[in-house]
C-alpha cells in the first residue's frame, strides 16, 4: 500500500463545480480505479491540528494519493513511511520549495494510530 504526493500550486479545490486542477486530477484517479477514500486534498485541513489526520492516513496507507500546494504541504509534512513517488505539476517559485518537497520521500517516520 504505497503512497504518492502531488504538489500543485496552479489552483485550489473549490467544490463549486468550476474547473480546477485538483478536482480534475481526482476525477481521473477515480476513473482509473482508485477509491475516493484514498484520494485526499490537504486543503480540506485548514489548521495544523486538522492536518494530522490526513498525514496519519497517508503514513498508514489509508490515503494513497495526497494532493496539495507547496505551502500547505511544506514544513511539518511527515508522510514518508510508504511514500513511493512525489509529483510536481508546476515549478515552484522558490528552488527551496522544490528541494523540500522532493525530500519528503527520503525520511522515515513511524505510523501512529488513527480512528476510522
Amino acid at each position: 500500500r504505497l503512497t504518492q504526493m502531488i504538489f500543485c500550486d496552479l489552483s485550489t479545490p473549490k467544490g463549486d463545480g468550476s474547473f480546477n486542477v485538483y478536482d480534475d486530477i481526482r476525477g481521473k484517479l477515480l476513473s482509473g480505479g482508485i477509491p475516493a477514500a484514498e484520494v485526499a486534498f490537504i486543503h480540506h485541513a485548514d489548521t495544523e491540528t486538522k492536518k494530522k489526520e490526513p498525514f496519519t492516513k497517508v503514513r498508514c496507507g489509508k490515503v494513497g494519493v495526497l494532493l496539495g500546494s507547496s505551502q500547505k504541504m511544506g514544513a511539518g509534512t511527515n508522510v514518508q513511511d510508504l511514500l513511493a513517488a512525489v509529483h510536481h505539476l508546476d515549478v515552484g517559485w522558490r528552488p527551496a520549495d522544490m528541494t523540500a518537497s522532493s525530500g519528503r520521500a527520503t525520511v522515515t517516520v513511524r505510523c501512529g494510530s488513527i480512528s476510522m
Side-chain angles (χ1 to χ4, degrees), residues 39-61:
V39 179
F41 298 156
I42 197 61
H43 294 80
H44 293 156
D46 56 0
T47 67
E48 291 303 315
T49 301
K50 290 180 183 177
K51 286 182 184 180
K52 290 179 182 178
E53 182 181 355
F55 290 168
T56 299
K57 287 181 178 180
V58 171
R59 284 194 305 269
C60 295

Side-chain angles (χ1 to χ4, degrees), residues 5-49:
M5 293 177 72
I6 301 174
F7 285 88
C8 176
D9 295 329
L10 296 173
S11 66
T12 58
K14 295 176 181 54
D16 64 2
S18 64
F19 178 83
N20 66 81
V21 175
Y22 284 82
D23 290 330
D24 185 59
I25 291 171
R26 183 177 194 277
K28 289 173 180 170
L29 292 170
L30 298 181
S31 68
I34 297 177
E38 293 185 21
V39 179
F41 298 156
I42 197 61
H43 294 80
H44 293 156
D46 56 0
T47 67
E48 291 303 315
T49 301

